[in-house]
Amino acid sequence: MTGDWLDIGWVDEIPVRGSRTVQVAGGDDIAVFRTAEGKVFALLDRCPHKHGRLSQGIVYGGAVACPLHNWRISLSTGEALGDDKGCTPTVPVKIDAGRVLICRASTLKAAA
Amino acid sequence: MEHTPLKAKADTREHLVVIGNGMAGCRAVEELLARDADRYRVTIFGAEPRVNYNRIMLSPVLAGEKSFDDIVINDADWYAANGIALVAGDPVAVIDRAAKTVTTRGGTTECYDRLLIATGSDPFIIPVPGKDLPGVIAFRDMDDVDTMLAAADAGGDAVVIGGGLLGLEAAHGLSLRGMKVTVIHLMPTLMERQLDEAAGWLLKNALEARGQTILTGADTAEIVGDGKVEGVKLKDGTLIPASLVVMAVGIRPSVALARDAGLAVGRGIQVDDHMVTSDPAVLAVGECVEHDGQVYGLVAPLWDMCRSLADGLVEKPSGYRGSVTSTKLKVSGIDVFSAGDFSGGDGCEDIVLRDASRGVYKRVIVKDDRIVGAVLYGDTADGSWYFDLLKKQEDVSDLRDLLIFGQSFASGGGAADPKAAVAALSDDAEICGCNGVTKGQVVACIAKGARSLDAVRGTCKASASCGSCTGLVENLLALTLGDEVQAGPKTMCKCTSFGHDDVRREVVAQDMRSIPEVMQKLHWTTPDGCSSCRPALNYYLLCALPGDDVDDQQSRFVNERLHANIQKDGTYSVVPRMWGGLTNPTELRAIADVVEKYDAPMVKVTGGQRLDIFGIKKEDLPAVWADLNAAGMVSGHAYGKALRTVKTCVGSEWCRFGTQDSTGLGVKIERMSWGSWMPHKFKIAVSGCPRNCAEATIKDFGIVCVDSGYELHVGGNGGIHVRVTDLLCKVATEQEAMDYCAAFIQLYREEARYLERTAPWIERVGVEQIKARIVDDAAGREALRARFLYAQSFSQDDPWAQRAEGAEREHHAPMARFTPQEEMA
Ligand SMILES: Cc1cc2nc3c(=O)[nH]c(=O)nc-3n(C[C@H](O)[C@H](O)[C@H](O)COP(=O)(O)OP(=O)(O)OC[C@H]3O[C@@H](n4cnc5c(N)ncnc54)[C@H](O)[C@@H]3O)c2cc1C
Ligand code: HEM
Ligand code: SF4
Ligand code: FES
């Protein structure tokens, strides 16, 4: 756990086409997604519509469908897709030797 | 040890020492010689005891298609002719940058002016017990191939760990050499870094058809054996016998020498655009380097790197800018190609073409009018064309509509308009390959009055089977009718041109067994579906294949994945089953305990005659279930497209009006039908007399007891649009009431569309149709009932009990926790 990145675990701990969360004390959780193609993304676990938990949605292509009212949110930009308007903050992620690292500054902002 | 004698006579030229006699090391020297053959004196050190060969051709050598001699790139004469000293079979052990020397393991020391590190990669060996047993090898060099060939001569079983490019090529070779091969792959999709799910599924099928066993989603626990390898044990306990285990799970840049020498190393040896490391006298090239944050595992980037390196060495620096790579699997008879980025995402548009009869899947990913990625299976002829467009970043907006059909189609005739392309087809051109329908026949059928896609499908059968010609037929309709085209039937979602009923019929008729299979055979236009079609397909497969393990958790809505109802604040509510609305002190005590222990803010009596515990946190769910299970309660499926409750009234046992034991019958029915997945939620009620206290006439299946027997009602609904049930029939005995109920549920399960409740379903097909099937057709009813009970024999294990015992427990817990204050301190 060093520098600008927070090590949150192995890539394999996130189910493919699924998600896990990272709890941030005093703030919103962060949802970490893994797509069918093995790409990993992180977003604040909060739908721009009515704060649904995006980590609980169905992941397909590069998007997640919110479990509450089925808004579709882009995993890479956090923007609502289609006709809906809204945006969820993204958290930069990188993978290093199978470990998932998320951006420290964005994570702390989530708690702020 | 092969030794070309070092030059004896004094040579005043600068001395270039190369570590690594592999593909990049030698290519770099070739590039240098081509620019200035006399500038440097060259010495190459190689760990392998042989001359330079084409490593990627080891796969054909293993498969018996080539010999070692065929794959040599530079033979001994080349080294001699160019005055290159080769020290082969003795690896360099130390670099001394202060003294500018390298020393081999055997003790030879050589001075350098410029040093080039080209040590390639080391295979990654997963740290499981038994990894060091004899018979466990990697697939990297000719020695590995020799070991595999020796093992294959002895015959027997081989396990390949890793279903990427290397692993599959190893498996293919070993299988051609007569071994029985099992591939163990951790991920659900083969070659997931190069292929998407759809192409991976096709590949898996093709390999299985060739006799290999492919286990995806399989995690190796241990390699077992006494003195030599005897088998591989998976985390789920399966033991696979093997006399040879090939680990092909990935590679790591070989950086140990460079790191020990104090050079800057990240994932690889860090180099600038001229392949110079943190020490200006030391260069590095090939798989061992990291350039601009990237490391590579394929040969194409090496060629670019070597050019820039040689330009730098002769002081005409050009600069390497990184590479875009493409992959082809070298398994004869199976064509797979992938290039660029296929992960989709914003602004990316997928163009998908599937041709089930030819086993073809093509997907091109376009962003901002430029191709950013391509995945091809079965027909890779256009791979190089797409790759070229991709590398050149060419604007493809003019080709857009025809792009997926390939170069000859898209650039031929210059007809960029698909309608024009269809217009240009001759009358005898085949439109529908499945049913052999020509353009002339389709046009004739439209002229005779078919004004929609559906009508064309119904009359001349074009596009009625696999659907891959749907686009062509739609263009013909538009061409012939202009604006008069009528909208077709509602499709399942925008991923397909088929409606629910078509999909379902084909799933059963073609005995499809997985979501990727359905998507391939029915030509889905998206790579992995969407949140509408995935849950529907999952249900259709589940319903068609009772007892088969086809359930895909990631295609279920959260409530069904977590077996609880998500609430608007993100907590969950938990409803345990209370059979027929009955309960007892043990159950009530257990519920009371759960409410206190997990601090549930509210408990409510539901409309379905049971108790709902609100405000449970996701991570507490398994513990809550364990506590409820201990008191004998199971999941109420209050969250699922499934049987919810069976409401009852007190009936003849207590009520002065009661005609039959409505409570007892309700309990029996709930015991029979709980746990079954349905197109939508399903509610039952049993009232003991026509006063109907259990409100049975607004349920999906309602029973109203009368003196002479049981009235059966179907298709009722509360909710926004209240619908009173239709009377199905009257029966005399309790057993008949249960049999008809089972048959009705199964008919609904098999024939209603996903997310269609019984009320709209019955309005769509008509209650007469339901009566004909359930009441009039005794044999049909009995068959439906038998299929329901058979399916039920697999579906009645309590999902809560499985989770409480630890199944997928990790998915209830966060992956990590952070406390910012501590973090910042
Ligand atoms: C079976 C197989 C199939 C492949 N198929 C393809 C394919 O189809 N397409 C594709 O693009 N790529 C393919 N690759 C990958 C490709 O072979 C590599 O990208 C390429 O060989 C890398 O070149 P390199 O020079 O960096 O490393 P290498 O070719 O591995 O050369 C490194 C050399 O350095 C030597 N060495 C290491 N340490 C020392 C030391 N301390 N002292 C002296 N010598 C040392 C090694 O023994 C090795 O000979 C395949 C690889 C394998 C193994
Ligand atoms: C996502 C939305 C919904 C949720 C989470 C939900 C949840 C619930 C729950 C937990 C119960 C108690 C059921 C039981 O005891 O098993 C219930 C009952 C009921 N719900 Fe809903 N419901 C939803 C939508 C609807 C809709 C759309 C309708 C109308 C069509 C509806 C009509 C009913 C009725 C009539 C009952 C009483 C059932 C009975 O008496 O058996 N609900 N609901
Ligand atoms: S439905 Fe009839 S039998 Fe049942 S409680 Fe009401 S009055 Fe009594
Ligand atoms: S809260 Fe996400 S769609 Fe409504």
Side-chain angles (χ1 to χ4, degrees), chain B residues 591-750:
Chain B
I591 290 174
D593 287 344
V594 161
V595 171
E596 286 182 350
K597 185 163 157 195
Y598 301 96
D599 226 0
M602 185 168 97
V603 191
K604 158 127 188 30
V605 178
T606 71
Q609 296 184 342
R610 41 200 197 166
L611 292 173
D612 195 342
I613 309 164
F614 284 87
I616 301 289
K617 289 188 269 313
K618 180 179 166 192
E619 55 268 36
D620 286 338
L621 287 171
V624 168
W625 297 331
D627 289 0
L628 295 173
N629 281 159
M633 281 180 279
V634 298
S635 163
H637 294 85
Y639 46 79
K641 313 292 172 223
L643 177 85
R644 297 286 176 88
T645 57
V646 180
K647 249 175 112 161
T648 64
C649 73
V650 290
S652 58
E653 209 175 330
W654 301 96
C655 175
R656 63 200 157 113
F657 300 111
T659 61
Q660 312 279 357
D661 178 13
S662 50
T663 323
L665 176 57
V667 172
K668 280 185 205 152
I669 288 183
E670 189 160 359
R671 294 257 178 215
M672 170 180 80
S673 49
W674 76 280
S676 60
W677 297 108
M678 311 256 196
H680 209 306
K681 54 186 169 183
F682 195 97
K683 297 170 182 176
I684 300 178
V686 188
S687 288
C689 85
R691 286 167 194 76
N692 196 10
C693 295
E695 295 155 348
T697 48
I698 51 160
K699 294 290 175 272
D700 296 281
F701 192 86
I703 301 178
V704 176
C705 305
V706 290
D707 285 326
S708 55
Y710 304 81
E711 284 174 9
L712 308 183
H713 299 262
V714 296
N717 198 352
I720 304 175
H721 303 291
V722 182
R723 181 181 194 274
V724 173
T725 45
D726 293 305
L727 178 65
L728 182 69
C729 64
K730 204 180 121 188
V731 296
T733 65
E734 206 175 75
Q735 187 58 48
E736 283 172 298
M738 291 186 58
D739 292 351
Y740 280 62
C741 175
F744 177 76
I745 292 178
Q746 187 65 9
L747 190 66
Y748 171 61
R749 294 182 73 226
E750 290 178 4

Side-chain angles (χ1 to χ4, degrees), chain A residues 1 10 12 15-17 20-23 25 34 37 39 56-57 59-61 65 70 74 76-77 104 111, chain B residues 186-187 196-197 342-343 346 363 528-529 534 552 554 558 561-562 572 618 810 813 815-818 823:
Chain A
M1 209 171 291
W10 295 103
D12 296 344
V16 173
R17 283 190 273 99
R20 297 287 301 275
T21 57
V22 174
Q23 254 178 16
R34 185 166 171 210
E37 269 111 17
K39 287 238 173 170
Q56 318 287 296
V59 177
Y60 65 97
N70 207 31
S74 157
S76 52
T77 63
R104 169 190 296 263
Chain B
L186 183 62
M187 304 290 291
D196 58 15
E197 197 182 7
F342 51 88
S343 59
D346 290 296
R363 174 172 167 222
D528 62 350
R534 283 233 314 265
D552 175 24
Q554 303 307 340
V558 58
R561 231 179 304 135
L562 291 182
Y572 290 81
K618 180 179 166 192
E810 68 279 8
M815 197 173 170
R817 294 185 166 89
F818 287 106
E823 267 298 313

Side-chain angles (χ1 to χ4, degrees), chain B residues 19 91-95 103 117 119 254-263 269:
Chain B
I19 307 177
V92 171
V94 187
I95 301 171
T103 303
I117 304 177
T119 45
S254 172
V255 297
L257 266 185
R259 179 178 287 133
D260 292 346
L263 293 168
I269 305 167

Side-chain angles (χ1 to χ4, degrees), chain B residues 762-791:
Chain B
I762 287 179
E763 287 188 354
R764 180 165 65 82
V765 300
V767 72
E768 291 314 315
Q769 166 70 13
I770 309 281
K771 282 185 186 164
R773 301 281 296 277
I774 305 283
V775 185
D776 307 341
D777 177 3
R781 175 177 69 239
E782 181 47 34
L784 282 167
R785 186 189 76 101
R787 285 205 292 283
F788 181 63
L789 296 185
Y790 176 71

Side-chain angles (χ1 to χ4, degrees), chain B residues 124-129 131 161 219-220 223 247 249:
Chain B
F124 183 67
I125 302 294
I126 47 174
V128 290
K131 68 180 165 51
I161 304 179
D219 201 356
T220 306
I223 298 173
M247 283 223 198
V249 293

